[in-house]
Amino acid sequence: MGSVQSYFNNLRGKEKKQEEERHVRANDRAFNLSYNYANNAIRTSKYNIFTFLPLNLFEQFRRLANAYFLFLLLLQLIPQISSLSWFTTAVPLVMVLAMTAVKDANDDINRHKSDRQVNNRMVSVLIDGELKNEKWMNVQVGDIIKLESNQFVTADLLLLSSSEPLNLVYVETAELDGETNLKVKQALTLTGEMEDSIETLSNFKGEVRCEPPNNRLDKFKGTLTVNGQNYGLDNDKILLRGCTLRNTEWCFGLVIFGGPDTKLMQNSGKTKFKRTNIDHLMNVLVLWIFGFLFTMCFILAIGNAIWEVKEGSVFTVFLPRDQGVNAALSSFLSFWSYVIVLNAVVPISLYVSVEIIRLGNSYFINWDRKMYYPKNDTPAQARTTTLNEELGQIKYIFSDKTGTLTQNIMTFNKCSINGKNYGDLYDFSGHRVEITEKTQKVDFSWNKLADPKFAFHDYSLLETVREGNPEAQAFFRLLALCHTVMPEEKKEGELNYQAQSPDEGALVTAARNFGFVFRSRTPETITIMEMGEKVTYELLAVLDFNNVRKRMSVIVRHPNGKMTLYCKGADTIIYERLDRSCKKLMKVTTDHLNEYAGDGLRTLVLAHKHLEENYMEEWTQRHHEASTALEGREERLDQLYEEIEKDLILLGATAVEDKLQDGVPQTIEQLANADIKLWVLTGDKQETAENIGYSCNMLREDMKEVFIVAAHTAEEVKQELQYARRMMCPESAEQPSVKKCRAGLFWLQKMETVQDEKVEGDYGLIINGHSLAYALEKDLELELLRTACMCQTVICCRVTPLQKAQVVELVKKYKQAITLAIGDGANDVSMIKAAHIGVGISGQEGMQAVLSSDFSFAQFRYLQRLLLVHGRWSYIRMCKFLQYFFYKNFTFTFMHFWYAFFCGFSAQTVYDEWFITLYNLVYTSLPILSLSLFDQDVNDRWSFQYPQLYCPGQLNMYFSKKAFVWCMLHSCYSSLVLFFIPWGAIQDTVRDDGRDIADYQSFASLAQTCLLVVVSAQLCLDTYYWTTVNHFFVWGSLAAYFAITFTMYSNGMFLIFTSIFPFIGTARNSLNQPNAWLTMFLTSLLCVLPVVALRFILMQIRPTINDRVRYKMQKDTLPAPPPRRPVRRVSTRRSGYAFSHSQGYGALVTSERFLFKRPIKSRLAFSVQPDGPLARNLPQVFRPIAEELHESQSSKS
Amino acid sequence: MLASSYKDEDGHISVSGSGAAAAAGGGSLRNKKPENTAFKQQRLPAWQPILTAGTVLPAFFIIGLIFIPIGIGLYVTSNNIKEIEIDYTGVDMSSPCFNCSQNFSWNSTKSCTCSIPFQLDQPYESNVFMYYGLSNFYQNHRRYVKSRDDSQLNGNEESLRSPSKECEPYARHDNKPIAPCGAIANSMFNGTTKPVNWRRPVYELDSDPNNNGFINEDFIVWMRTAALPTFRKLYRIIQRRNNLLPTLPRGNYTLEVVYNYPVRSFEGRKRMILSTISWMGGKNPFLGIAYITVGSICFLLGIVLLIIHHKYGNRNNGADVSH
């Protein structure tokens, strides 16, 4: 009952005029109820027990095919028209409706379950001055509720007070936007003072006026009125439903939006329904079929008119006309009669079968062990089950970098200290050994503060450090001192680093494990444990990183008074500032750097310098002056930095690996072989992206050129793009060749396609976000598209989520190609939704990408299996299914057309009505279903061996309008054979006992048997992969046909249902004749042989790649995959330095606002001032700040 | 801790461990690893035939070689059947039945008779079957086909009293139910008819009680509607009496026709056929000719394919698949 009520409430709600302002009074249910605000119950289910049948039927009949069949059913009730018994249409229609209804009901039951689960969660609500446990659904707007740590936020709340200092609470918004870092919310001081005093809270009479419910997650506007005083409310004071409370003992909140009004529910609304290419094609074809059907009926109606005039009018002696029926009316009636008879061309079971096939193929994806990732127990998942065959047609892949191509783990991999290289392992013969997970790791157990997750394999480095090598110690001391990492030590010895960039985290962690443990910092000091000995350095200055300086330095004073400048930065920058004495060392280090670059590692060069006391004093003085100067502060500081950072002594270099996921380069190579273009769209900076491009083989040394577009005006961008294009293809036309055409259901849709242009050689293109913003403008987008499509590899860096989606849309719009987007984070959501197919990398912490994706799995490398195996199979299966399905239905129907010429266009059927009823449903459904679930042209291993097998799908080769027309011609031929061979054979024929069997019933049973044998034979010909299931269904269906036919034509059935089964004895009388079997044999051979001959000839003259591989598969065994060896590329390219992207934390670290000095009551290592830079700029865990979703709009400028 | 390692498809060594899974699952042992069954992994053993020259070419030749003899056999059998067809519609002025066909009227009580002489050139051995044939008679018209009541024919009393609506307009006559009802029964080809057009009631169809009423053989034969507008139906069998003598020896015969079934209005034709039969039924050369033709085409196609295979096949199939 409840849901009925809420259903009507919803109806009423729609009539209610748009809410303009929300007005809530705390602790006053009566007042709030007067506004009829929704309570906190949610309902995502569509139906309940009573509404299910009518609503579901209504929805189903909105589908064209179903509505059409209902119309047919009504037509059949008119006796003058009814050419078939009602059950021929009703049985399939009911079956189809029932199947869909069962599926919908199942879905809805699941929704009900999850609704109920969510609605029945318990929360403490303040009612009548005491806290009571209430179900979520009973929470009303205006209630004050108490949340505890790790609880889900019940509704959209105004935060009143919390257990934490400064009335802060920490929430995780993973469910809302996928970001896993904690966010800080702060209550008003006024309300915060109430703390957890139940009495004060229940007497709280604040009134909130705020915006009506909406879906903006990052904005809130309202006022709180307490005792006549107004206080502004913004997003910082609002806890949204869907968040989780973390690190906060308790908090109180006032419910402002409940249930359907919450921002979470307002956001989870209509997801755009994706349809595949084949879906669109199918719609067009069904329309064609309708046209075709009516043309046929029209021709037959005219035939009927002619017959009625010429023959019918004189035949009235034996066949009188119904009253008032003349030739014209008869022709009109026969038109509709033929609409009924020929209805099989409009395939009612098509949509249902297609759904079943897609569902089956989705299950195969879910079940695939080779896409299961054991490390975090994540199987692949087809979240949308209606897009499978499109996986076999992908032309463009748009990939995120961080977390998708890379693991988002930085590891300190190698280093060069004082000209000696550490990190590689060699075997006895001096060859480099590949480091795998099984390689023995260096044992750091001597160091109690070591990070257990850190892995390093070269023992010699540790030995060197422990031996007390001064350079090595200085090296790690530098790493422990020169950074902006924040330590967090919740328990003694349990260190946790909060790093702005993962690279920095990796370096500091490396220093920690090698005995230089960064322990804590204050604005003035840094404390580290140097080989177990606690040393507190005085931090004199932080010369922070920025994009121009490309380096960072700290100046510290050792307790013994020695002052040192430690500097790390990009190699080119540091090399310019080295002391001349380092020449020799520089050379060796450069060799090492090149080596690291060849391995795709991110490098930094480290240097230090001792400072004289008096120079430092003077410098500090000038530094102070400069930093307080009102004019030209930046320049003066830069100058000072420049002055002190020179004559540095080189210590060595670090190499950090931005760890690629397993198998990424191989996967990319495979996809490239399959002629799929991969574009990387990343929020990372150019160097990083470029670096990854090289390390995963997208960019290669042997590429003719890698163009970099990084301009700042539209004109420059245009020039650079044109320059690149002319370099690649000098003869290319200035204007892109755009092919315009119309498509869609009624040719209403205009399409523009930019033609591909051929380019000699491989090129790469790197474009940054700024340039991309210009390039995506209306007048430049075609230029961008042309240039980008000429390149083998395209990398877009520093792009915002919005731009990601724009790039996808651009390709979708002008290339008419199927696109796939793959990503893992909230910033990829827009792109995942924009592409034809979205893939989410699951198993990471954020779920947003997965939730909006169509397919999800844990590792990028599974993409090749998803596309090259599952996608390809699904596509082939679907195409085979459609071809066969249309073939069998057309052949079936065309027979009626031919028979019309022999039965006075009277809409007499060729077959028994029962055969018509069961043909699609029983006799021919299962064999094709098993084919389209199990068929494989070649198995998965061969699919990987020959990725080119994927290409036909991209070109729509297996099913298109052309293929459909072929299919019709084929059916036309088959039906001619099927009709006229039995026709000829049965002319004046008698049995071997002299009785005539040229009667209608014998002819019908002969024709239908021939038809079934022929379509089964055609199916056998189309089946490439004969499993036992296929055998069972093919032979089983034929056997079932004979069994059912003999049963229905038996005496018993006739005696029980005389008028329903009139074909008494027909089967046994006609099918025991050699004539009948000879006819069947002849028709099936005549139908099958031309197909075989044609296929054979095509295979001989123009073999497709499939033919070749299948042929090869029969002859050879699969070659074993080549063993993997570590490859080292010779590279002259210097890799990107391992710094993050934006201004460092230097200012923050040294700032007065940094809160270490303040006594705090919480257990947190550091706290945050709510409006301070840290709260705003708190690093997302290993995610560049610029990628945040809500900044997408602003960063376009 | 590491339980096993397996070789991945693309050559990676992936390490799976219960420890790792347990760590990820927060200690609980949920394992979502899909089952390793041939069905779920799509590795069901299967037969994968492909079209190769080795299978296609022999198939064509063999089919050709089988079809031609069958065709010849069928053709010869069909040709050996003796059959004579006599059109007695009386369209021609010269036909003896011309007068009867001209003067036909449903109401005349006097039957018109005509006799047609014919000659058998060969003796008809074994049983001889006598058929009547009608042309341009649309027994397969939808409205005609459905105009019957099987329940009534099956002897259902209820249906006898009130025939099915399908029988209209031959369901009732003068407020009395018609039995047998419907257009098929109404138009029964016979010298003697009753329902509206019939001159005798159904129970007087034959004097033999075993061949009367609804189970009268002529009636049954007629009620089995023909598939095509030109058809023949069995009328009588001339049994062979004596093993030594042919059933119908060579000589001159006369066909006596009681002319009372009008077909000229719709340009129909009436025929009388005398025929012997064989193991494959009556005379119909169609299948024989079709088999010979298809067999020959197969054979020729086989040769064409062989040539094509020699010209192109070696080049393509031998070539390696390029990467």
Side-chain angles (χ1 to χ4, degrees), chain B residues 258-319:
Chain B
V258 181
Y259 199 103
N260 53 10
Y261 198 81
V263 295
R264 288 205 59 190
S265 61
F266 53 92
E267 285 168 25
R269 286 279 193 284
K270 299 198 279 190
R271 292 162 291 148
M272 191 282 297
I273 302 110
L274 288 176
S275 167
T276 59
I277 57 161
S278 68
W279 59 271
M280 56 156 287
K283 192 179 181 97
N284 185 351
F286 176 83
L287 270 184
I289 296 171
Y291 264 81
I292 295 172
T293 320
V294 172
S296 323
I297 291 176
C298 263
F299 205 82
L300 283 179
L301 211 55
I303 294 172
V304 172
L305 293 184
L306 189 67
I307 294 169
I308 289 176
H309 174 61
H310 261 277
K311 226 174 151 189
Y312 297 95
N314 293 339
R315 193 180 72 201
N316 288 318
N317 282 340

Side-chain angles (χ1 to χ4, degrees), chain A residues 35 222 273 442 499 567 697 1096 1134 1182:
Chain A
Y35 287 95
F273 189 64
V442 173
C567 179
N697 253 337
F1096 183 74
R1134 203 62 63 72
F1182 297 170

Side-chain angles (χ1 to χ4, degrees), chain A residues 464-725:
Chain A
T464 314
V465 178
R466 295 188 75 178
E467 275 164 12
N469 179 312
E471 282 84 14
Q473 296 213 343
F475 183 92
F476 285 111
R477 190 174 294 123
L478 188 154
L479 291 183
L481 288 171
C482 180
H483 55 78
T484 55
V485 171
M486 302 273 197
E488 196 182 6
E489 197 166 354
K490 283 187 179 165
K491 255 195 260 163
E492 180 71 24
E494 251 183 49
L495 266 176
N496 215 344
Y497 292 140
Q498 285 274 359
Q500 191 198 10
S501 78
D503 307 60
E504 255 194 343
L507 292 176
V508 179
T509 307
R512 166 180 170 182
N513 279 41
F514 282 100
F516 288 78
V517 188
F518 167 61
R519 207 62 200 271
S520 64
R521 80 185 322 154
T522 69
E524 284 96 27
T525 62
I526 297 175
T527 307
I528 62 175
M529 304 287 287
E530 290 188 5
M531 306 307 286
E533 186 189 331
K534 185 169 173 179
V535 184
T536 303
Y537 287 85
E538 193 184 333
L539 182 61
L540 300 175
V542 176
L543 287 56
D544 202 4
F545 170 86
N546 68 32
N547 258 326
V548 184
R549 284 166 43 78
K550 296 185 177 174
R551 61 188 185 273
M552 169 194 180
S553 304
V554 291
I555 303 171
V556 293
R557 192 203 304 266
H558 193 264
N560 67 14
K562 264 195 350 211
M563 283 186 296
T564 320
L565 178 141
Y566 291 106
C567 179
K568 64 178 185 186
D571 45 9
T572 45
I573 303 283
I574 304 284
Y575 271 26
E576 289 166 10
R577 289 168 176 76
L578 288 182
D579 195 70
R580 251 174 291 164
S581 61
C582 302
K583 268 258 162 70
K584 222 173 133 191
L585 184 56
M586 257 165 82
K587 242 183 121 191
V588 187
T589 311
T590 308
D591 288 345
H592 290 159
L593 281 172
N594 287 341
E595 208 174 280
Y596 301 157
D599 286 342
L601 303 175
R602 294 155 76 141
T603 56
L604 276 182
V605 171
L606 312 184
H608 70 163
K609 170 189 182 179
H610 293 290
L611 295 168
E612 296 301 322
E613 184 81 35
N614 32 18
Y615 173 76
M616 194 53 209
E617 238 167 60
E618 181 241 354
W619 188 87
T620 316
Q621 182 60 36
R622 277 164 41 209
H623 182 243
H624 182 74
E625 276 169 23
S627 53
T628 50
L630 293 173
E631 272 172 47
R633 185 190 299 171
E634 300 284 309
E635 293 81 43
R636 285 177 68 178
L637 279 176
D638 273 348
Q639 227 172 356
L640 273 175
Y641 292 168
E642 201 70 33
E643 180 196 312
I644 200 163
E645 289 169 324
K646 64 183 184 195
D647 301 331
L648 304 171
I649 309 292
L650 181 63
L651 272 174
T654 60
V656 169
E657 186 184 359
D658 186 358
K659 255 195 145 173
L660 286 181
Q661 289 189 2
D662 279 341
V664 166
Q666 291 88 335
T667 305
I668 287 176
E669 198 187 328
Q670 282 276 34
L671 295 177
N673 285 337
D675 207 15
I676 301 173
K677 298 208 167 160
L678 181 68
W679 294 22
V680 172
L681 310 177
T682 172
D684 255 345
K685 69 190 165 75
Q686 187 183 321
E687 283 85 352
T688 325
E690 202 178 329
N691 209 21
I692 290 299
Y694 277 100
S695 60
C696 59
N697 253 337
M698 294 180 60
L699 298 173
R700 291 181 305 274
E701 289 295 317
D702 60 356
M703 279 189 157
K704 280 199 178 161
E705 189 154 356
V706 176
F707 302 104
I708 295 176
V709 178
H712 292 279
T713 65
E715 193 51 37
E716 282 170 34
V717 171
K718 187 176 179 181
Q719 279 170 6
E720 286 187 25
L721 286 174
Q722 285 179 341
Y723 166 77
R725 196 189 74 224

Side-chain angles (χ1 to χ4, degrees), chain A residues 199-217:
Chain A
E199 201 180 326
T200 2
L201 280 167
S202 50
N203 289 327
F204 181 63
K205 285 282 175 270
E207 275 187 40
V208 174
R209 284 170 187 277
C210 67
E211 58 186 21
N214 60 60
N215 61 3
R216 288 191 304 274
L217 291 176

